[in-house]
């Protein structure tokens, strides 16, 4: 079985060397004709794993024609840009002769590409992506129109449902795209696609796509920087997930709550263990978090109701701005213990308690053991009523 695997990899490499994908530099050619682009400057950039690198500025002739030739060692992603929001993404391999046509006034919606299999795949992905954005714009327009209607809440549910269906359709398209093209670098672009301001695929929900794409591309492009970056992300997520599972075991109900020592607004360190002997709500929040701010008045009611019976709140803020944190405390009239290291999501307590979103609550008994985690306000109220009856 191992011999067959080695032979198959060797065959892939041999084929790659024969068509210029490996084995030294080779030039690619990019030519095109764009309508409405007489003597227009185009920016040609390389899309790396973390930024854009300007490579050249092209000026079309009077007929909108342009061309560029560069030597590259490995396949890569490139941006051909008319302006900030008017651009296309290309996947170019060494030795390819790529031809672009389109309208410079709206390049993403009008362009076609030939001579590059990877770029052609990205064009089909872009077409679906643009269609999705048009749906988002349409739904946003509908939402603006219905805001003054008497049955706004009912109509909003319909709009939300339409958005969810559009999101799920594009999500399925991306998964099908990756399944159909596991050996193409174009699938990396699909893997990281957004729908509005939401990512379509998340490691926490669709990790199998990240993992299998990394495995398939690593066999074909072992030294490609985009593949190496994907492999790094996959390995990092697996390590983090393993650590998270280990932390989850320590946070099981009945276990001792991990110690926390953080400064209060006056700069005095306050230990969570200093509240031993009381029922303590460990409340993760932030002044910038609207759901947290909405929860604070409800917490205040419970605090005033049960404080004399031995209920305390140890509020940990994930703020990064001291003034904003203090202003939030003042505006919400918070009179329970507040601490923060002002390190935002980089605070060590985030990983210590596996906090993934806020507000997030953990209830601790008088002995310092975990009673409940991730409870909502109604569940908290029920537990407190039973505890202090």
């Amino acid at each position: 079985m191992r011999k067959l695997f080695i032979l198959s990899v060797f065959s892939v490499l041999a084929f790659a060397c024969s068509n210029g994908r490996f084995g030294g530099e080779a030039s690619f050619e990019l030519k095109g004709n764009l309508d409405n682009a007489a003597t227009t400057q185009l920016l040609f950039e390389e899309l790396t794993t973390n930024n854009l690198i300007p490579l050249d500025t092209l000026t079309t002739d009077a007929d909108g024609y342009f061309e560029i030739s560069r030597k590259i060692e490995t396949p890569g992603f490139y941006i051909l840009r008319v302006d900030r929001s008017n651009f296309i993404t290309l996947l170019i391999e060494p030795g390819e002769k790529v031809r672009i046509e389109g309208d410079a006034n709206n390049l993403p919606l009008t362009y076609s590409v030939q001579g590059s299999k990877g770029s052609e795949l990205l064009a089909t992905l872009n077409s679906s992506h643009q269609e999705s954005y048009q749906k988002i714009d349409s739904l946003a327009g509908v939402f603006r129109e219905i805001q003054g209607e008497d049955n706004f809440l009912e109509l909003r549910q319909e709009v939300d449902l339409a958005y969810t269906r559009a999101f799920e359709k594009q999500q399925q398209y991306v998964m099908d795209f990756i399944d159909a093209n596991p050996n193409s670098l174009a699938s990396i672009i699909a893997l990281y696609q957004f729908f509005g301001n939401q990512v379509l695929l998340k490691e926490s929900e669709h990790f199998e796509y990240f993992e299998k794409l990394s495995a398939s591309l690593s066999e074909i492009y072992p030294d490609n920087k985009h593949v190496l970056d994907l492999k790094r992300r996959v390995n990092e997520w697996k390590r983090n997930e393993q650590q998270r599972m280990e932390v989850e075991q320590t946070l099981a109900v009945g276990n001792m709550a991990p110690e926390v020592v953080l400064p209060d607004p006056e700069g005095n360190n306050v230990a969570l263990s200093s509240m031993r002997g009381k029922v303590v709500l460990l409340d993760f929040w932030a002044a910038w978090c609207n759901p947290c701010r909405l929860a604070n008045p409800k917490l205040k009611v419970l605090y005033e109701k049960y404080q004399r019976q031995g209920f305390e709140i140890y509020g940990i803020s994930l703020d990064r701005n001291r003034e904003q944190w203090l202003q939030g405390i003042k505006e919400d009239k918070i009179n329970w213990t507040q601490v923060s290291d002002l390190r935002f999501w980089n605070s060590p307590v985030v990983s210590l308690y596996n906090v993934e979103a806020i507000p997030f609550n953990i209830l601790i008994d008088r002995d310092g053991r975990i009673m409940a985690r991730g409870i909502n306000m109604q569940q908290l109220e029920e537990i407190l009523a039973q505890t202090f009856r």
Side-chain angles (χ1 to χ4, degrees):
M1 190 69 182
R2 180 174 174 81
K3 289 182 178 179
L4 288 174
F5 173 75
I6 294 173
L7 285 173
S8 66
V9 173
F10 178 80
S11 298
V12 170
L13 291 174
F15 173 76
C17 290
S18 68
N19 69 6
R21 284 163 60 182
F22 296 88
E25 290 185 343
S27 294
F28 73 80
E29 294 180 1
L30 174 62
K31 300 180 180 180
N33 271 102
L34 301 182
D35 297 332
N36 300 307
T39 60
T40 298
Q41 283 195 335
L42 307 174
L43 185 61
F44 189 68
E45 305 164 302
E46 182 182 5
L47 177 61
T48 68
T49 57
N50 55 14
N51 58 18
L52 281 171
I53 300 176
L55 298 179
D56 207 344
T57 300
L58 316 175
T59 302
T60 63
D61 65 15
D63 297 319
Y65 175 81
F66 68 90
E67 63 178 65
I68 184 175
S69 175
R70 295 184 69 90
K71 288 185 177 181
I72 57 174
E73 295 180 350
T74 183
F77 297 111
Y78 298 90
I79 303 294
L80 182 65
R81 184 185 304 277
V82 179
D83 55 45
R84 182 176 180 180
S85 59
N86 188 5
F87 63 89
I88 58 173
T89 305
L90 304 169
L91 168 54
I92 303 179
E93 302 204 16
E96 288 188 331
K97 300 182 185 297
V98 189
R99 180 79 184 191
I100 301 289
E101 292 184 356
D103 188 335
N105 287 337
N106 196 339
L107 195 55
L109 282 176
T110 62
Y111 87 101
S112 63
V113 58
Q114 295 178 335
S116 170
K117 180 63 182 299
S119 296
E120 291 170 15
L121 284 173
L122 288 183
T124 63
L125 185 65
N126 171 74
S127 178
S128 176
H129 191 63
Q130 294 297 328
E131 182 181 342
S132 295
Y133 267 110
Q134 289 177 342
K135 290 178 181 177
I136 292 175
D137 289 341
S138 176
L139 290 173
V142 172
F143 183 80
R144 288 191 295 268
E145 291 176 1
I146 65 174
Q147 287 191 21
E149 300 292 333
D150 294 336
N151 57 342
F152 169 71
L153 293 179
E154 180 182 343
L155 294 173
R156 178 177 177 174
Q157 288 181 342
E158 294 179 6
V159 173
D160 290 343
L161 180 60
Y163 178 89
T164 299
R165 287 173 176 168
F167 179 91
E168 291 175 348
K169 181 180 179 181
Q170 184 63 14
Q171 187 182 68
Q172 187 61 53
Y173 176 88
V174 166
M175 291 189 289
D176 292 342
F177 183 95
I178 295 172
D179 285 334
N181 302 285
N183 298 326
S184 173
L185 292 172
S187 289
I188 291 181
I189 298 295
L191 194 65
Y192 298 139
Q193 270 209 326
F194 276 74
F195 187 88
N197 60 358
Q198 290 182 278
V199 290
L200 286 164
L201 302 185
K202 300 178 181 178
E203 284 98 333
S204 58
E205 299 174 15
H206 312 94
F207 183 67
E208 68 273 18
Y209 283 90
F210 291 80
E211 189 171 36
K212 70 181 179 181
L213 186 60
S214 174
S216 61
L217 292 178
S218 292
E219 290 185 11
I220 305 171
Y221 305 100
D223 300 320
N224 184 276
K225 57 190 170 188
H226 297 281
V227 177
L228 290 173
D229 183 67
L230 174 59
K231 185 176 182 180
R232 176 192 61 78
R233 290 185 58 163
V234 166
N235 290 336
E236 185 177 276
W237 193 89
K238 290 169 74 172
R239 285 194 302 271
N240 291 340
E241 184 63 9
Q242 179 62 34
Q243 293 173 1
R244 190 187 72 81
M245 294 302 295
E246 292 173 357
V247 172
E248 280 294 305
Q249 294 178 4
T250 68
L251 297 175
V253 171
N255 286 351
M256 293 295 295
E259 177 68 297
V260 177
V261 181
L262 288 174
D264 64 14
E266 286 72 42
N268 302 312
N269 285 332
V270 181
L272 175 62
S273 58
S274 67
M275 296 184 174
R276 195 69 50 82
K278 298 181 179 181
V279 175
V280 180
L281 181 71
L282 193 57
D283 175 46
F284 291 89
W285 77 294
W288 48 261
C289 167
N290 287 332
C292 303
R293 303 295 296 274
L294 292 174
N296 280 340
K298 300 174 184 177
L299 279 181
K300 189 174 179 64
V301 171
L302 293 177
Y303 184 62
E304 292 175 352
K305 182 176 181 180
Y306 294 109
Q307 183 191 13
R308 292 183 180 180
Q309 294 174 256
F311 176 55
E312 277 297 337
I313 301 177
Y314 187 87
I316 301 179
S317 167
L318 299 187
D319 278 292
R320 53 184 164 186
N321 182 288
R322 176 178 171 79
E323 287 70 30
Q324 187 178 21
W325 174 40
L326 297 180
Q327 185 65 25
I329 293 174
K330 180 179 178 181
E331 290 176 354
D332 293 353
K333 298 181 175 59
I334 295 175
N335 54 348
W336 54 84
T337 300
Q338 280 292 321
V339 297
S340 179
D341 56 10
L342 298 176
R343 295 178 63 181
F344 197 46
W345 287 101
N346 296 318
S347 175
V349 294
V350 171
S351 56
L352 183 65
Y353 277 93
N354 270 350
V355 181
E356 297 180 352
I358 53 176
F360 182 71
N361 295 324
I362 298 174
L363 195 61
I364 303 169
D365 68 14
R366 299 178 191 274
D367 296 323
R369 298 185 181 278
I370 296 173
M371 296 174 62
R373 295 177 57 224
I375 52 179
N376 59 37
M377 202 60 61
Q378 181 178 346
Q379 292 169 326
L380 173 62
E381 188 170 2
E382 292 172 355
I383 295 174
L384 291 178
Q386 186 175 16
T387 300
F388 295 112
R389 62 184 176 183

